[in-house]
Amino acid sequence: MTVVHRSHDRGITTLTLDSPANRNALSAALVGELGAALADCAADPGVRAVLLTHTGTTFCAGADLKSPPDPAAFVALMRAVVELPKPVVARVTGHVRAGGLGLLGACDIAVAGPDSSYAFTEALLGLAPAVISMPLLPRMDPRAAGRYYLTGERFGAAEAVRAGLLTEAADDVDAALAPVLAGLRRASPQGLAASKALVTATVVETFDRWTEDLSARSAALFASAEAKEGVTAFLERREPPWVL
């Protein structure tokens, strides 16, 4: 079953996450298909930009705890979005959690609707937003990251804009995206690639510097007894023992 669908219109390739059974979670299948689709877009001169969107009420629920991807493959996916020589625009009309925020943060432009919500839930499970920090922390307001990394609170689109996760919050996402996509269609491929390289340089440097260390930290946390209990409690829909 295909979980990433493709369509194309006047230079814009739309990649739609469509895995309703797990709320578009980052499974091995979804990470693999999305990575392959991005590679195809990079090689296709007919693709001016990529629009990343979703079916259902969730953009991405984070890591699929039942069928997780290879951690290195997920890191490679985020980096592929950042380094793609074509802009990647996120169209969000649903919820984004944990690892899904890393995917969102890797995008160049992100526009979301009023029904979207966001939460870093890792600390609640005995984990941390380790590898997703690479595309996120260079772009987020430090105080916002400090609050939401630690508390796991849910917040809405307007706060996500203030925090640096989104470019724009809009009642009508497609109307807000219309001038963005029109601008990308008018820009030259070389101009887009060179301009994107300027604004993503710090993020790429972060990947260069921190991939090995943060991947190791993430692996150690997932292997810990505390995280195993947190994940089990989540899957069993009960509170973990540390909740006061």
Side-chain angles (χ1 to χ4, degrees):
M1 179 184 296
T2 300
V3 294
V4 177
H5 300 291
R6 311 183 196 189
S7 62
H8 186 83
D9 178 43
R10 295 178 51 224
I12 308 296
T13 291
T14 299
L15 303 180
T16 303
L17 308 183
D18 184 21
S19 182
N22 63 0
R23 299 184 303 142
N24 295 324
L26 295 161
S27 63
L30 187 142
V31 168
E33 288 186 27
L34 184 54
L38 289 169
D40 289 345
C41 289
D44 186 347
V47 177
R48 187 66 51 82
V50 174
L51 182 66
L52 181 62
T53 189
H54 62 99
T55 60
T57 59
T58 301
F59 174 79
C60 181
D64 186 333
L65 299 176
K66 296 181 179 179
S67 179
D70 180 337
F74 176 50
V75 172
L77 175 63
M78 291 190 293
R79 183 161 187 158
V81 174
V82 173
E83 292 191 318
L84 196 77
K86 303 169 184 189
V88 180
V89 180
R91 175 189 178 276
V92 181
T93 60
H95 310 301
V96 194
R97 298 289 184 268
L101 289 161
L103 183 59
L104 179 65
C107 295
D108 302 290
I109 298 169
V111 179
D115 295 328
S116 64
S117 71
Y118 309 82
F120 293 92
T121 54
E122 290 89 344
L124 307 180
L125 305 181
L127 300 166
V131 296
I132 67 171
S133 288
M134 290 185 283
L136 287 172
L137 290 185
R139 290 168 163 163
M140 282 189 72
D141 172 77
R143 284 296 190 183
R147 173 176 179 171
Y148 296 119
Y149 268 36
L150 297 174
T151 66
E153 294 170 84
R154 295 182 186 182
F155 52 98
E159 175 65 3
V161 172
R162 189 199 69 79
L165 282 169
L166 294 176
T167 308
E168 183 178 353
D171 289 335
D172 187 331
V173 175
D174 293 317
L177 282 170
V180 172
L181 300 181
L184 296 177
R185 287 184 170 114
R186 291 177 60 84
S188 83
Q190 175 178 284
L192 288 175
S195 298
K196 174 169 176 170
L198 290 173
V199 296
T200 58
T202 301
V203 181
V204 173
E205 290 171 3
T206 303
F207 274 92
D208 288 340
R209 181 177 179 183
W210 291 106
T211 290
E212 184 175 348
D213 177 74
L214 291 178
S215 296
R217 288 195 218 181
S218 180
L221 285 167
F222 269 99
S224 69
E226 191 162 299
K228 288 178 180 177
E229 169 57 25
V231 170
T232 299
F234 173 79
L235 294 174
E236 294 178 351
R237 299 182 181 275
R238 61 174 173 80
E239 296 278 26
W242 53 75
V243 174
L244 302 175

